[in-house]
PDB file of all heavy atoms in Angstrom:
ATOM      1  N   ALA S1335      -5.519 -13.739 -14.897  1.00 98.00           N
ATOM      2  CA  ALA S1335      -5.603 -15.194 -15.059  1.00 98.00           C
ATOM      3  C   ALA S1335      -5.932 -15.853 -13.722  1.00 98.00           C
ATOM      4  O   ALA S1335      -6.777 -16.749 -13.654  1.00 98.00           O
ATOM      5  CB  ALA S1335      -4.288 -15.740 -15.614  1.00 98.00           C
ATOM      6  N   GLY S1336      -5.257 -15.412 -12.671  1.00 98.00           N
ATOM      7  CA  GLY S1336      -5.499 -15.988 -11.343  1.00 98.00           C
ATOM      8  C   GLY S1336      -6.935 -15.786 -10.899  1.00 98.00           C
ATOM      9  O   GLY S1336      -7.563 -16.683 -10.330  1.00 98.00           O
ATOM     10  N   ARG S1337      -7.453 -14.603 -11.160  1.00 98.00           N
ATOM     11  CA  ARG S1337      -8.833 -14.307 -10.771  1.00 98.00           C
ATOM     12  C   ARG S1337      -9.830 -15.173 -11.545  1.00 98.00           C
ATOM     13  O   ARG S1337     -10.767 -15.743 -10.974  1.00 98.00           O
ATOM     14  CB  ARG S1337      -9.151 -12.823 -11.004  1.00 98.00           C
ATOM     15  CG  ARG S1337     -10.556 -12.426 -10.661  1.00 98.00           C
ATOM     16  CD  ARG S1337     -10.845 -12.638  -9.186  1.00 98.00           C
ATOM     17  NE  ARG S1337     -12.250 -12.509  -8.873  1.00 98.00           N
ATOM     18  CZ  ARG S1337     -12.761 -12.555  -7.644  1.00 98.00           C
ATOM     19  NH1 ARG S1337     -11.965 -12.753  -6.605  1.00 98.00           N
ATOM     20  NH2 ARG S1337     -14.040 -12.439  -7.432  1.00 98.00           N
ATOM     21  N   ILE S1338      -9.610 -15.260 -12.854  1.00 98.00           N
ATOM     22  CA  ILE S1338     -10.514 -16.074 -13.683  1.00 98.00           C
ATOM     23  C   ILE S1338     -10.463 -17.532 -13.216  1.00 98.00           C
ATOM     24  O   ILE S1338     -11.487 -18.204 -13.110  1.00 98.00           O
ATOM     25  CB  ILE S1338     -10.148 -15.947 -15.182  1.00 98.00           C
ATOM     26  CG1 ILE S1338     -10.375 -14.507 -15.660  1.00 98.00           C
ATOM     27  CG2 ILE S1338     -10.979 -16.909 -16.028  1.00 98.00           C
ATOM     28  CD1 ILE S1338      -9.794 -14.209 -17.032  1.00 98.00           C
ATOM     29  N   ALA S1339      -9.269 -18.011 -12.895  1.00 98.00           N
ATOM     30  CA  ALA S1339      -9.112 -19.392 -12.428  1.00 98.00           C
ATOM     31  C   ALA S1339      -9.893 -19.605 -11.132  1.00 98.00           C
ATOM     32  O   ALA S1339     -10.573 -20.621 -10.957  1.00 98.00           O
ATOM     33  CB  ALA S1339      -7.638 -19.704 -12.215  1.00 98.00           C
ATOM     34  N   TYR S1340      -9.803 -18.633 -10.221  1.00 98.00           N
ATOM     35  CA  TYR S1340     -10.538 -18.739  -8.950  1.00 98.00           C
ATOM     36  C   TYR S1340     -12.036 -18.808  -9.215  1.00 98.00           C
ATOM     37  O   TYR S1340     -12.750 -19.647  -8.649  1.00 98.00           O
ATOM     38  CB  TYR S1340     -10.201 -17.549  -8.050  1.00 98.00           C
ATOM     39  CG  TYR S1340     -11.087 -17.462  -6.851  1.00 98.00           C
ATOM     40  CD1 TYR S1340     -10.971 -18.390  -5.811  1.00 98.00           C
ATOM     41  CD2 TYR S1340     -12.068 -16.472  -6.755  1.00 98.00           C
ATOM     42  CE1 TYR S1340     -11.798 -18.317  -4.706  1.00 98.00           C
ATOM     43  CE2 TYR S1340     -12.897 -16.404  -5.649  1.00 98.00           C
ATOM     44  CZ  TYR S1340     -12.768 -17.330  -4.633  1.00 98.00           C
ATOM     45  OH  TYR S1340     -13.590 -17.262  -3.548  1.00 98.00           O
ATOM     46  N   GLU S1341     -12.489 -17.938 -10.106  1.00 98.00           N
ATOM     47  CA  GLU S1341     -13.927 -17.912 -10.414  1.00 98.00           C
ATOM     48  C   GLU S1341     -14.368 -19.200 -11.101  1.00 98.00           C
ATOM     49  O   GLU S1341     -15.492 -19.667 -10.925  1.00 98.00           O
ATOM     50  CB  GLU S1341     -14.255 -16.695 -11.291  1.00 98.00           C
ATOM     51  CG  GLU S1341     -14.206 -15.384 -10.514  1.00 98.00           C
ATOM     52  CD  GLU S1341     -14.321 -14.156 -11.411  1.00 98.00           C
ATOM     53  OE1 GLU S1341     -14.426 -14.313 -12.643  1.00 98.00           O
ATOM     54  OE2 GLU S1341     -14.287 -13.032 -10.856  1.00 98.00           O
ATOM     55  N   ALA S1342     -13.443 -19.780 -11.886  1.00 98.00           N
ATOM     56  CA  ALA S1342     -13.777 -21.005 -12.617  1.00 98.00           C
ATOM     57  C   ALA S1342     -13.845 -22.206 -11.683  1.00 98.00           C
ATOM     58  O   ALA S1342     -14.497 -23.208 -12.000  1.00 98.00           O
ATOM     59  CB  ALA S1342     -12.731 -21.248 -13.712  1.00 98.00           C
ATOM     60  N   GLY S1343     -13.184 -22.127 -10.535  1.00 97.00           N
ATOM     61  CA  GLY S1343     -13.208 -23.240  -9.581  1.00 97.00           C
ATOM     62  C   GLY S1343     -12.081 -24.213  -9.841  1.00 97.00           C
ATOM     63  O   GLY S1343     -12.118 -24.972 -10.820  1.00 97.00           O
ATOM     64  N   LEU S1344     -11.085 -24.189  -8.954  1.00 96.00           N
ATOM     65  CA  LEU S1344      -9.911 -25.063  -9.140  1.00 96.00           C
ATOM     66  C   LEU S1344     -10.227 -26.468  -8.658  1.00 96.00           C
ATOM     67  O   LEU S1344     -11.035 -26.651  -7.748  1.00 96.00           O
ATOM     68  CB  LEU S1344      -8.730 -24.493  -8.338  1.00 96.00           C
ATOM     69  CG  LEU S1344      -8.256 -23.111  -8.791  1.00 96.00           C
ATOM     70  CD1 LEU S1344      -7.537 -22.398  -7.662  1.00 96.00           C
ATOM     71  CD2 LEU S1344      -7.333 -23.242  -9.994  1.00 96.00           C
ATOM     72  N   ILE S1345      -9.570 -27.454  -9.254  1.00 95.00           N
ATOM     73  CA  ILE S1345      -9.762 -28.829  -8.773  1.00 95.00           C
ATOM     74  C   ILE S1345      -8.953 -29.026  -7.499  1.00 95.00           C
ATOM     75  O   ILE S1345      -8.018 -28.278  -7.221  1.00 95.00           O
ATOM     76  CB  ILE S1345      -9.351 -29.865  -9.847  1.00 95.00           C
ATOM     77  CG1 ILE S1345      -7.867 -29.726 -10.199  1.00 95.00           C
ATOM     78  CG2 ILE S1345     -10.213 -29.714 -11.106  1.00 95.00           C
ATOM     79  CD1 ILE S1345      -7.299 -30.913 -10.943  1.00 95.00           C
ATOM     80  N   GLU S1346      -9.349 -30.047  -6.735  1.00 93.00           N
ATOM     81  CA  GLU S1346      -8.635 -30.353  -5.496  1.00 93.00           C
ATOM     82  C   GLU S1346      -7.361 -31.128  -5.811  1.00 93.00           C
ATOM     83  O   GLU S1346      -7.400 -32.074  -6.603  1.00 93.00           O
ATOM     84  CB  GLU S1346      -9.525 -31.217  -4.585  1.00 93.00           C
ATOM     85  CG  GLU S1346     -10.654 -30.455  -3.930  1.00 93.00           C
ATOM     86  CD  GLU S1346     -10.168 -29.379  -2.970  1.00 93.00           C
ATOM     87  OE1 GLU S1346      -9.220 -29.643  -2.203  1.00 93.00           O
ATOM     88  OE2 GLU S1346     -10.722 -28.268  -2.999  1.00 93.00           O
ATOM     89  N   PRO S1347      -6.234 -30.776  -5.202  1.00 92.00           N
ATOM     90  CA  PRO S1347      -5.042 -31.598  -5.398  1.00 92.00           C
ATOM     91  C   PRO S1347      -5.228 -32.971  -4.747  1.00 92.00           C
ATOM     92  O   PRO S1347      -6.009 -33.092  -3.798  1.00 92.00           O
ATOM     93  CB  PRO S1347      -3.932 -30.814  -4.675  1.00 92.00           C
ATOM     94  CG  PRO S1347      -4.553 -29.635  -4.056  1.00 92.00           C
ATOM     95  CD  PRO S1347      -6.022 -29.659  -4.275  1.00 92.00           C
ATOM     96  N   ARG S1348      -4.574 -34.003  -5.263  1.00 93.00           N
ATOM     97  CA  ARG S1348      -4.644 -35.320  -4.640  1.00 93.00           C
ATOM     98  C   ARG S1348      -3.267 -35.961  -4.636  1.00 93.00           C
ATOM     99  O   ARG S1348      -2.384 -35.536  -5.380  1.00 93.00           O
ATOM    100  CB  ARG S1348      -5.682 -36.203  -5.319  1.00 93.00           C
ATOM    101  CG  ARG S1348      -5.793 -36.039  -6.840  1.00 93.00           C
ATOM    102  CD  ARG S1348      -6.900 -36.863  -7.426  1.00 93.00           C
ATOM    103  NE  ARG S1348      -6.642 -38.283  -7.243  1.00 93.00           N
ATOM    104  CZ  ARG S1348      -7.589 -39.193  -7.076  1.00 93.00           C
ATOM    105  NH1 ARG S1348      -8.857 -38.844  -7.093  1.00 93.00           N
ATOM    106  NH2 ARG S1348      -7.280 -40.463  -6.915  1.00 93.00           N
ATOM    107  N   ASP S1349      -3.106 -36.963  -3.801  1.00 95.00           N
ATOM    108  CA  ASP S1349      -1.779 -37.556  -3.633  1.00 95.00           C
ATOM    109  C   ASP S1349      -1.429 -38.546  -4.731  1.00 95.00           C
ATOM    110  O   ASP S1349      -0.274 -38.691  -5.088  1.00 95.00           O
ATOM    111  CB  ASP S1349      -1.689 -38.261  -2.269  1.00 95.00           C
ATOM    112  CG  ASP S1349      -1.704 -37.253  -1.135  1.00 95.00           C
ATOM    113  OD1 ASP S1349      -1.229 -36.115  -1.364  1.00 95.00           O
ATOM    114  OD2 ASP S1349      -2.199 -37.574  -0.049  1.00 95.00           O
ATOM    115  N   MET S1350      -2.424 -39.275  -5.267  1.00 94.00           N
ATOM    116  CA  MET S1350      -2.143 -40.319  -6.243  1.00 94.00           C
ATOM    117  C   MET S1350      -2.626 -39.891  -7.621  1.00 94.00           C
ATOM    118  O   MET S1350      -3.478 -39.023  -7.751  1.00 94.00           O
ATOM    119  CB  MET S1350      -2.849 -41.624  -5.834  1.00 94.00           C
ATOM    120  CG  MET S1350      -2.499 -42.109  -4.435  1.00 94.00           C
ATOM    121  SD  MET S1350      -0.716 -42.361  -4.186  1.00 94.00           S
ATOM    122  CE  MET S1350      -0.493 -43.909  -5.058  1.00 94.00           C
TER     123      MET S1350
END
Side-chain angles (χ1 to χ4, degrees):
Chain S
R1337 179 62 191 185
I1338 295 169
Y1340 170 71
E1341 287 171 359
L1344 297 157
I1345 61 164
E1346 286 296 318
R1348 37 184 296 148
D1349 291 331
M1350 304 303 284

